[in-house]
Amino acid sequence: MHLLRIWMLMAALQLTAANRVAQRLVSGEQGLLPCTRGFPQEEYVIKVDQELAKGQSLFNVSFTDCGRGKVWFRVGNSTYFRVSEDGSVYTLRRLALVGSGEAVDVVYARDPRTKQVWKTRVHLYTHPTGNSMEPEQVKSSDAKLSQQVPEILFPWRSLVVRGDGTLRRVKRDWVIPPINVPENSRGQFPEELVRIHSDRDKNRLLRYSVTGPGADQPPTSIFIINPISGQLSVTKPLDREHISNFHLRAHAVDLNGNQVENPIDIVINVIDQNDNRPEFTHTIFNGSVPEGSKPGSLVTAVIAVDKDDPKTANGMLRYKILSQNPQSPSSSMFTINNKTGDIITVAAGLDREKVTQYTLIIQATDMEGNPNYGLSNTATTIIRITDVNDNPPEFTTDTFFGEVHENMVNVIVTNLTVTDKDQPHTSAWSAAYRIIAGDPSGRFSIPTDHTNNEGLLTVIKPIDFEVTRSFMLTVEAENEVPLARGIHLPQQSTATVSVRILDVNESPEFSPNPKSIKLEEGLPAASLLTTFTAQDPDRFLRQSLRYSKMYDPANWLEIDPVNGRISTITILDRESPYVKNNLYNVTFMASDNGIPPATGTGTLQIYLLDINDNAPEVFPPEMEMCEKPDLNAINITASDPDLTPNAGPFAFELANRPADVRRNWTLNRLNGEYAQLRLRIGSLASGIYKVPVMITDSGNLPMSNTSFLKVKVCQCDLHGDCIDMERIIAAGLGTGAIIAILICIIILLVLVLLFVMWMKRRDKERQAKQLLIDPEDDVRDNILKYDEEGGGEEDQDYDLSQLQQPDALEPECVKVGIRRMDERPLHHDHRYPLRSAAPYPGDIGDFIHEGLTAADNDPTAPPYDSLLVFDYEGSGSDAGSLSSLHSSLSSGDQDYDYLDEWGPRFRKLADLYGEGDN
């Protein structure tokens, strides 16, 4: 077997140099020789096969770092080999070394901190393998170690000490190649791998041992060694996917445990077997590709992994498509890169409108796709064909019809329908409509209803039937995104829309609206102002119009219903409250005789010009003045509703009558707007005086008016303010408010008085009900009431005031007598007998007799605490005689057992009168 032969050849290499000379110096001879950084050998001699696989480990180089840190390794200018961080040299590609010559290369070590470089030379010797044919597939069960076991010799000492104390290398050491062990071996265990031997066992007995992971470190006991013979064996099948290699160290000691050889490193590589199927990262892969894609377009990629060694054929996967569904328009629409798993299109004709998605079954096979030896697995790939705009919208008919009433806006005239084979509700399916002819004024628009992709022809500007009665529109439908390259709009993407305009009875229209005119105020009634008419837009109907007044707040105007002439009803007054900023607005209405009739309104704005038609008045109309003015004066002005120049400046003058006006007062003009009124005499009695003042305006025809200024003369304080009572009342509360406050106070006092009287009466009643004796002498428990059939003593509420001691009564009560609170006299003037006080507190018996006498003489007193008189009830009573209760002669004739059912109160009676001798 080829793999077994390679393993035995690599294990049988002779060793001519030690791997760990520097370690031997540190451990065995540390006290004798100094530590020198560098390779322990200047040259390595390695025997290898002529054919080397990619990634094959050839040998290990060691470096003595003397505890100064790691170094970096690299191979010279060779592109065929590489060295790892741990010093293992392996191939970068598959090599075939011709002949049995020598190949030389250099391995460098470099300190990354100090930049110091060391080097060693490696000599590779080849020998023929005897067969260059393709290797056969090796199974784990075929890897037998029944042949002669290779032997590993401990290297000779190759360092000697010169006279000056330096080291000298005298012989080359052999490098121990890795030991290759196939995984999943089914041989008998323990299975021998190699024999470790030292040449010093000729003179003494040695003991061999191995250390490291897999031996004495976890996982332990995988490798064992015979301590006497040095035979290294494996105890169980190995799994490369769990641990791919083991690094062991072999030791040789004498019987006393002294080390006779420096430890050697042994690398055991687990050779991979094809024991793992490829596994896809997903069960289902999803991809998409636009419809109409050219061949070679990437769709998606599938990924599978294999736990086997990817550097060998066991982990090299190949992909292929097993099936395609549906097989339309071709059975081979896609292909797959057998190494990368990329799926690409290989044929044209992808059309989403025909096939929306494809389902591919992908197979991954290891052993580089070898169907005989490789293991396979499958996965599903779903490829969705995405939509592109390769189908333009097409109208369902060439001509659409619609109609709309005139003057209507935001009204849908008709719906335009199209079909689009692209995927619904995408930009390639959504249609956009536009009018390309027939609407120069832009009276229509066509928004899109995105739910059904219809175009809504809508009126956005009013249309006049009398101007245009129909429209012939040309519309075009396009998608929101441009069409795919090479696709053009067909004729079906254009349609004609015929719109008919319907006539309606339109409202009459005043022109201009509003209409403004200027007039002077004061025009007399029945004056013609203007003519305000409207026009009927329905000029083809020849309808008649009638006018009426709709809004005239002052009721100044009227309009002729036929010709629209407007005239006055009363005089126009600019100073009216209905006039705002000299403008007076009146609204008129015009109605036609259509069915139904239509109406329109118009506004007439009248700008009234001012004339001098209002006389001035004194302002303010009331003033105050002190009795002794002391240079105190009143400034007055005039108010005139007219405007300038029909108002100020004004002329002020005191009237001639009455005569005392000019004797008591004087009026001086300050300017054209103000005048000053003063007292002519030294003082004037308090009171109210009316001073007539004549004021004349400055109109073209001046107007004069005599108005009275009400002057209140009063006593003043130091500040010149009135202090009379009337001013105080005027400034504070009025008379009515003060009277109301007084009434409320009186009512409150009466209520308080009534409440106090009621409380006193209540206290007297409580005092009258007090007991005549002390609480400890109360005889309430000894008084029982037997004249009713109700409950026992706990049900009764007695008035025991009659049993109180007379000495405890107040003198007032003794004088007037004690009246029962639970009685009601028959008449108001009834006199009750008086009860005298007992001679001494202890004579309560005499007091009771007196009360008995009083109760007997009082016909209104109820029989609560007095003797009762039982009247004769007549004959024939159904109850019988009460004397039978005292007779024991007839008790035997009655059954009293039912008394037991009446409760514990009647159980004693049942015992007395029941059956039996008792």
Side-chain angles (χ1 to χ4, degrees), residues 243-264:
I243 300 177
S244 60
N245 55 68
F246 296 88
H247 292 266
L248 304 179
R249 176 166 288 189
H251 305 269
V253 298
D254 58 15
L255 296 180
N256 295 325
N258 298 320
Q259 180 176 306
V260 297
E261 297 283 358
N262 285 333
I264 60 173

Side-chain angles (χ1 to χ4, degrees), residues 334-369:
F334 305 92
T335 187
I336 189 171
N337 187 315
N338 64 343
K339 294 183 179 181
T340 63
D342 294 337
I343 300 176
I344 59 177
T345 59
V346 295
L350 293 175
D351 191 353
R352 189 204 65 83
E353 287 72 34
K354 295 180 180 179
V355 179
T356 58
Q357 73 177 25
Y358 291 87
T359 302
L360 307 180
I361 304 299
I362 309 299
Q363 183 187 61
T365 307
D366 58 16
M367 295 301 295
E368 297 182 308

Side-chain angles (χ1 to χ4, degrees), residues 293-311:
S293 296
K294 296 180 180 180
S297 301
L298 178 64
V299 180
T300 186
V302 297
I303 300 175
V305 294
D306 196 319
K307 297 180 180 179
D308 293 326
D309 190 357
K311 298 178 182 179

